[in-house]
Amino acid sequence: MATDCIFCKIVSGDIPADIVYEGDHVIGFRDINAQAPTHVQIIPREHVAKISDFDPSRDTAWLVELFQAAQKIASDEGLDKGFRLVFNNGALSGQSVLHVHMHILGGRQLSWPPG
Ligand code: AMP
């Protein structure tokens, strides 16, 4: 756990969140500033700052569960017509929270390209 990390504090329960998925390695919770009818953050319980820090000798369990969680959340939320998964990585992408998180967005027509 990184003591100054807001998402670590959600994992530990020190900050409340609307949690929609809890697994061994991953949790999912609704975004506080939702950009679509479904907008959930899926994160590893372990603190890893960004996806470019991913280490395949260490991080495979949460990586696999991240996508299992996305499948389940998409199913639970009725996103059968489509959804989008997004990782922002680093300053130029607009990553604002330095704890790996995969956005799942759905429930409306999503445009492309993103801003
Ligand atoms: P990013 O810009 O990719 O780093 O995305 C960070 C996301 O985390 C944004 O969509 C924020 O709205 C969301 N966020 C930040 N703090 C919280 C929080 N306490 N609970 C839920 N979502 C949050």
Side-chain angles (χ1 to χ4, degrees), residues 5-22:
C5 172
I6 191 165
F7 283 2
C8 284
K9 288 179 179 163
I10 289 175
V11 171
S12 66
D14 292 328
I15 289 179
D18 185 357
I19 293 174
V20 298
Y21 176 91
E22 283 189 279

Side-chain angles (χ1 to χ4, degrees), residues 6-7 10 15-17 29-35 39 41 86-89 93-98 101 103:
I6 191 165
F7 283 2
I10 289 175
I15 289 179
F29 53 90
R30 295 195 191 281
D31 197 288
I32 205 169
N33 183 24
Q35 300 300 312
H39 187 179
Q41 296 300 330
V86 174
F87 291 95
N88 290 320
N89 187 90
S93 74
Q95 184 180 6
S96 61
V97 177
L98 282 175
H101 51 281
H103 299 246

Side-chain angles (χ1 to χ4, degrees), residues 21-66:
Y21 176 91
E22 283 189 279
D24 289 345
H25 306 286
V26 165
I27 67 167
F29 53 90
R30 295 195 191 281
D31 197 288
I32 205 169
N33 183 24
Q35 300 300 312
T38 294
H39 187 179
V40 170
Q41 296 300 330
I42 308 172
I43 72 168
R45 292 181 181 274
E46 179 189 339
H47 183 82
V48 178
K50 55 189 190 300
I51 204 72
S52 56
D53 295 333
F54 169 74
D55 177 350
S57 71
R58 181 192 63 193
D59 295 330
T60 51
W62 63 252
L63 186 72
V64 170
E65 198 188 331
L66 222 54

